[in-house]
Amino acid sequence: MRVLAAMSGGVDSAVAAARAVAAGHEVTGVHLALSAKPGTLRTGARGCCTIEDARDARRAADVLGIPFYVWDFAERFTEEVVDEFVAEYAAGRTPNPCLRCNEKIKFEALLDKAIGLGFDAVCTGHYARLATVDGVPQLRRSADDGKDQSYVLASLTHEQLAHAMFPLGDSTKAQVRAEAAERGLQVAAKPDSHDICFIPDGDTRGFLTRKLGEQPGVLVDDETGAVLGRHVGVHEFTVGQRKGLGIDAPAPDGRPRYVLSLEPVSGTVRVGAAEKLKVTEIVARRPVTRVAFDGPVECVAQVRAHGGLAPAVAEVVDGELLVRLREPLSGVAPGQAVAVYREDAAAGDLVLASATISTTR
């Protein structure tokens, strides 16, 4: 096949491209320029789309002997990822920008362009597996539970998965690094990227305040209604947050307080005990489903990229994904995604659906 390998400049995407070459495909490498000012993005070990990352990707392509290009997706990235990130926080929700980048940039904008140019598939370094069930491509967890990224890919459609390649799905991170070293790739020991690439100093609060301005409000005790402190905007907080609340006095029982809910219109941040964070029901909008939800489906729900797992029953009701948890989960934030999985004897852990959390009970 003609394969377009998305090369971030890290070890995973480099080895994924190498495996596509080794499998006999006609591979072209591409690095996505996601900022009009790439020099302002986070550099070093915590970056993923800086100038130095583009150079690392080019060097890897040279070692593999494949053509390499840099495509400018900065405007699309700003609109689809950065602007939505800011808008979601302003609305009192907690978005996942990496999930949105995969959905809107790598497997919508990039894949559309690749197909238009005659490529058969886009290859990435994500840790996830593909399976064909009843002739339809399905997404599975990777072999390395610690690196599994099926959660941040769960919103991809059947059509997108039909043109996707995840060569690392059956490998561990240690195996990928060892292979990179054997192939002479300089990124073999390069640290993984972390945090949010478009917030160069890692100060999410400061970034959002610069974008949204100060919108003062109060922190309120959920039990008594007492005002415990003041803040410059609900965008400073997320449900489940414990640290950095700016509350001087401890709770009467001496236990820590957590953010329970955000009310952006009034500017109210409600805080309380950890027990009040437990939820047993999730309602999520914009579901992407891979099976027919003719009724309740037994599954496992996941609400965070790493962790937040519970057995559950899911169904689609009035166009929304309703997930009833058999075991309560804590710190489930509106704006995040919920992905539901089913253990399949033939194909492993299959993604059944994904949706964006709107409310919890």
Side-chain angles (χ1 to χ4, degrees), residues 217-238:
V218 293
L219 292 99
V220 174
D221 185 282
D222 190 60
E223 282 283 343
T224 66
V227 174
L228 303 175
R230 299 187 179 278
H231 61 78
V232 299
V234 296
H235 56 262
E236 289 192 319
F237 306 94
T238 185

Side-chain angles (χ1 to χ4, degrees), residues 5-6 10 16-17 23 34 54 84 93 97 101 139 161 166 180-181 255 257 279 289 293 317 342 346 355 357 360:
L34 301 179
E84 186 191 40
R93 296 186 287 266
C101 182
L139 186 67
L161 290 177
F166 306 126
R255 293 187 296 175
R257 294 184 177 96
V279 302
T289 60
F293 278 80
V317 179
R342 179 178 63 202
I357 298 170
T360 61

